[in-house]
Amino acid sequence: MDITLATGVTIDYDETDLKEHKKLSNYAFYSPSIEFYLKNEKDNLNKVIIVGAGVGIYSKYLDSESIETINIEPVLSRFNKLEANLDNATNHNKACSDASGTGTMYYFDDAKSGAKLDINFGDNSESVDIITVDSLNITDADLLVIDANGKEYEVLQGAAASITPSNKVIVKWNTDICESKDELALYLQNSSKTCSILHWDSSNNSIQKKRLGTAQYPWDLLSVVIDADILME
């Protein structure tokens, strides 16, 4: 089903995915803090790696601005839509983690956007090859976006060589599904990069950065934040 997003691009998405359909049909966005961060930062981006690209919501906008994307999506039906939406991009039907190999994606048929690697749940599954971000040998990406349904820490571990002092990373934080929550929190806290929660202002689509590790936003805040997008820069 085609829909025009709040960022101005039209994309074919999976209307049978209940979560994705509800968000897109009601609001015309999926994750506004990321989508409008990308829109507002477009002039500073030339190449972006997206882990958990889905059907290409982030990538489609970047492509419309002639920004190169490398998209990684493990679920085949979603990858097929990604390919159709972004036929000129570099797209990989793979999962990402801290080591290469093979694994299984598990999901509910009406919620494939929530598929998880090697966590047995749902009513369907499919085999998938696993790669690391570093195996792509990309050292000039301006931004790495990681939305891996709980495997964010593991993806970061497999991207050590790809994360440089000059590039930025957006990491999805979700206390309900993160498999290595304590390890991820410690990784962020010990990073040499400044970490901020991205906050979307619906009145003007601007993005504010709530810097972590300050008196107003201490690191302990992450223990009570259920869902957030964290920028490392």
Side-chain angles (χ1 to χ4, degrees), residues 7 62 67 86 142 151 164 168 231:
T7 53
L62 295 171
I67 297 167
L86 291 135
D142 304 296
K151 290 286 188 187
T164 68
K168 300 178 182 182
L231 173 68

Side-chain angles (χ1 to χ4, degrees), residues 87-157:
D87 55 353
N88 292 320
T90 301
N91 304 316
H92 300 277
N93 182 208
K94 310 286 185 183
C96 262
S97 191
D98 54 358
S100 298
T102 57
T104 304
M105 300 302 302
Y106 294 92
Y107 50 81
F108 289 97
D109 276 327
D110 60 1
K112 292 177 182 176
S113 61
K116 295 177 70 68
L117 175 63
D118 291 337
I119 299 294
N120 194 342
F121 84 115
D123 53 23
N124 213 333
S125 65
E126 60 188 74
S127 299
V128 66
D129 290 331
I130 305 170
I131 62 171
T132 65
V133 172
D134 284 346
S135 70
L136 300 174
N137 296 314
I138 299 170
T139 58
D140 60 344
D142 304 296
L143 176 66
L144 169 62
V145 180
I146 304 173
D147 185 356
N149 288 340
K151 290 286 188 187
E152 286 75 16
Y153 174 73
E154 290 76 9
V155 173
L156 284 165
Q157 292 300 291

Side-chain angles (χ1 to χ4, degrees), residues 208-224:
Q208 286 83 47
K209 301 174 186 178
K210 311 295 187 179
R211 183 172 177 176
L212 290 163
T214 62
Q216 188 174 8
Y217 302 104
W219 285 106
D220 289 349
L221 180 68
L222 285 179
S223 64
V224 295

